[in-house]
Amino acid sequence: MKILSARYVVPISSAPIENGAIAFEKDKIIAVGTQAEIIEKFPETEIESLGEAAILPGFVNAHSHLEITAMRGFVDEFDDDFTSWLLTLTKVRGEILTDEDVQNAAILGAIEGAHAGVTCFGDIGRFGKNGFEALKAVGLRGVVFQETEFSPDDRTADADFAKLKEKFLALRETETNLVKAGISPHSPYTVGARLFENIAAYAIENDVKISVHAAESDEENELMQKGTGFFAGIYQKYGFEWRTPNCSSIEFLDKLGVLRAKPLLAHCVKVSERDLELIKASDSRIAHCPKSNAKFGHGIAPFEKFLDAAIKTGFGSDSMASNNTCDILEEARFATLFARNLPARKRFLQAEEIIETATFGGAKALGLEDEIGTLEAGKQADLAVVSLENIAQMPVHDVYSALLFASNARDVRLTLVAGEEVFRDGGEARKIDEREIKSKMREISQRMKS
Ligand SMILES: [Zn+2]
């Protein structure tokens, strides 16, 4: 058994505990309480005191693309042109980077997560296996969604689905207790109706988690509602058959039965009241990615409405090419500030509910709320320890406020997944040689530049 204590323990499921402690045995939390209570319960066990810090459930990054971490800062010049951005990224990922490069970059991204107190990822990968292996190598938890290829045409849907299923089943065979496989039909503008239907039926029948990019941009909305714009041009040019659904992306997913699979919907920037009702009624979930949305100028998603409708919502960093950091505290802060600054806001989002979104919300978004997201006896010992010692955080009057408005990933001191240390500031207790991965990353970037 191990016991950690700190100035604050923030269980999320109950009020913060001052001078708190948490006891865990192997991967499971045994008890949470004040230091005095825990000492009384387990007088024989030594306590490691973490001092002026907050122990909270590990952060959940509900939407990432670890396999494109090497593209951090590489395509920023195309940020104002999402389609060129996507095409350049796809080209470099497919043509310049080797499989080994992609793997090492994905591992670097997972290490970045561990440093940031992220214990669980909802990761989407065109290659799938790279994100999967990265989480395993670093010792993190997650669901890795095997993504579809560009497949807007119903005529190739059945063949495309067979290939996708093969890749998904290969991932599933290498699942561990911590890392599970799902499927990601990429988006309504790259996946045709029939392939969506195939995936939805398969997911429901086999209890497979799915995640979809949806209602992200005006371009997507234009294509769905009117059948015009950039993607319509691509379909025409290359002879893809495409029928305009003449409705929103969310209505489209509803009609195709995709919402019945309770998908994790990434972005949801362009959503109507009707869309939100459909999401809520179907128990679909949202990965809110405020920084990625802002970096592309896609707009501000109605985060306050997500919370007010009690839609299961977590934060996502999106890829490092579109953010460019994996920092869930920063994501949370952006989300709050954007929401508070909208003229149409009805209320001020509060720090407590936002820290809950960053932890328990993400767990719910990934369907893992029975295992992680709060500090309670019986749950997994997935912990993030955020130091509160920095001068820029003092004084701490309210721990939620200090975490949300005055802390970031670089304040994280210790990260545990299933009771195992995956990151300790200044320590050696890591599962992977970080220096080696960093030096490989420098090599990769040299090659990308030339
Ligand atoms: Zn994404």
Side-chain angles (χ1 to χ4, degrees):
M1 183 194 290
K2 279 186 190 156
I3 300 178
L4 299 176
S5 71
R7 179 65 192 277
Y8 299 95
V9 169
V10 184
I12 302 295
S13 48
S14 54
I17 304 162
E18 260 198 86
N19 301 315
I22 178 165
F24 55 95
E25 174 99 60
K26 294 190 181 123
D27 62 333
K28 277 206 173 67
I29 297 170
I30 304 290
V32 180
T34 62
Q35 281 173 42
E37 286 166 349
I38 298 294
I39 289 170
E40 201 187 305
K41 244 187 210 168
F42 310 104
E44 310 287 301
T45 310
E46 206 180 310
I47 296 187
E48 182 186 349
S49 172
L50 296 157
E52 287 295 314
I55 301 174
L56 62 162
F59 297 113
V60 177
N61 186 350
H63 182 70
S64 66
H65 301 261
L66 287 170
E67 69 181 27
I68 45 178
T69 303
M71 306 294 288
R72 187 189 334 253
F74 192 72
V75 280
D76 284 2
E77 62 185 300
F78 300 116
D79 281 351
D80 61 344
D81 177 359
F82 187 50
T83 41
S84 300
W85 182 93
L86 205 58
L87 293 174
T88 312
L89 184 128
T90 308
K91 192 173 149 61
V92 174
R93 176 170 53 178
E95 293 173 15
I96 297 179
L97 299 176
T98 65
D99 183 54
E100 199 193 337
D101 294 339
V102 174
Q103 187 58 67
N104 285 323
I107 291 173
L108 185 107
I111 294 173
E112 181 186 5
H115 280 230
V118 175
T119 52
C120 181
F121 277 83
D123 191 61
I124 293 184
R126 188 64 56 98
F127 304 132
K129 64 179 171 47
N130 300 114
F132 207 84
E133 293 306 320
L135 293 181
K136 283 198 217 168
V138 181
L140 300 180
R141 188 185 300 277
V143 180
V144 178
F145 299 93
Q146 174 65 55
E147 194 174 61
T148 50
E149 304 279 341
F150 188 68
S151 180
D153 195 321
D154 281 353
R155 292 171 300 183
T156 58
D158 293 349
D160 290 341
F161 178 62
K163 275 185 263 171
L164 175 74
K165 209 167 90 177
E166 208 175 294
K167 285 191 263 186
F168 163 72
L169 290 172
L171 278 190
R172 188 154 250 200
E173 270 189 18
T174 59
E175 279 185 343
T176 64
N177 282 340
L178 296 180
V179 187
K180 305 288 181 192
I183 293 179
S184 174
H186 173 262
S187 71
Y189 56 91
T190 57
V191 174
R194 188 171 169 83
L195 183 53
F196 263 125
E197 285 169 341
N198 284 341
I199 293 170
Y202 182 76
I204 292 165
E205 201 180 306
N206 298 284
D207 200 17
V208 177
K209 291 185 166 117
I210 67 171
S211 186
V212 189
H213 292 80
E216 183 174 0
S217 66
D218 285 327
E219 289 86 346
E220 174 186 339
N221 202 31
E222 183 189 339
L223 177 78
M224 301 306 290
Q225 303 274 6
K226 296 191 219 143
T228 51
F230 176 83
F231 276 99
I234 292 273
Y235 302 153
Q236 213 168 24
K237 189 171 163 193
Y238 295 102
F240 288 108
E241 225 172 62
W242 162 263
R243 259 167 294 125
T244 310
N246 296 114
C247 62
S248 74
S249 288
I250 303 299
E251 286 167 334
F252 183 53
L253 295 175
D254 179 50
K255 277 181 202 160
L256 298 175
V258 176
L259 296 192
R260 270 187 282 137
K262 303 181 183 182
L264 172 57
L265 303 165
H267 299 287
C268 293
V269 180
K270 312 288 170 187
V271 281
S272 65
E273 297 294 335
R274 165 91 186 126
D275 290 335
L276 289 175
E277 279 167 25
L278 289 171
I279 292 169
K280 172 68 186 164
S282 60
D283 193 25
S284 300
R285 296 95 206 265
I286 295 176
H288 179 39
C289 309
K291 282 182 66 197
S292 169
N293 297 338
K295 190 158 181 269
F296 289 121
H298 282 153
I300 302 176
F303 177 45
E304 182 186 315
K305 289 184 182 173
F306 301 165
L307 296 186
D308 287 348
I311 292 168
K312 291 169 181 162
T313 303
F315 294 120
S317 65
D318 212 347
S319 83
M320 289 309 99
S322 52
N323 191 310
N324 301 356
T325 55
C326 169
D327 182 342
I328 296 303
L329 281 171
E330 187 170 273
E331 214 63 52
R333 181 161 53 254
F334 266 75
T336 311
L337 297 177
F338 279 140
R340 285 188 178 187
N341 208 22
L342 275 177
R345 64 149 202 280
K346 296 239 167 59
R347 65 189 182 93
F348 257 42
L349 296 182
Q350 297 299 305
E352 179 177 349
E353 62 188 320
I354 305 303
I355 297 300
E356 179 178 335
T357 302
T359 52
F360 195 39
K364 288 191 278 190
L366 288 169
L368 296 173
E369 65 267 38
D370 293 337
E371 292 171 63
I372 58 164
T374 59
L375 304 182
E376 291 174 275
K379 276 203 164 172
Q380 288 284 295
D382 284 20
L383 312 176
V385 178
V386 182
S387 166
L388 295 167
E389 262 174 320
N390 195 293
I391 202 122
Q393 297 166 304
M394 291 170 71
V396 177
H397 294 296
D398 175 273
V399 66
Y400 289 123
S401 168
L403 288 167
L404 179 64
F405 292 116
S407 307
N408 64 40
R410 285 164 201 163
D411 296 311
V412 172
R413 297 236 331 255
L414 179 64
T415 307
L416 284 93
V417 176
E420 299 242 0
E421 283 186 20
V422 293
F423 166 70
R424 183 184 278 263
D425 198 11
E428 291 295 315
R430 283 184 295 259
K431 291 179 180 292
I432 198 148
D433 187 347
E434 203 173 307
R435 271 171 298 180
E436 192 189 322
I437 294 292
K438 277 172 155 175
S439 99
K440 281 181 180 159
M441 197 70 242
R442 286 185 204 106
E443 262 173 52
I444 295 167
S445 93
Q446 281 305 323
R447 233 181 312 126
M448 286 168 74
K449 269 183 219 153
S450 58

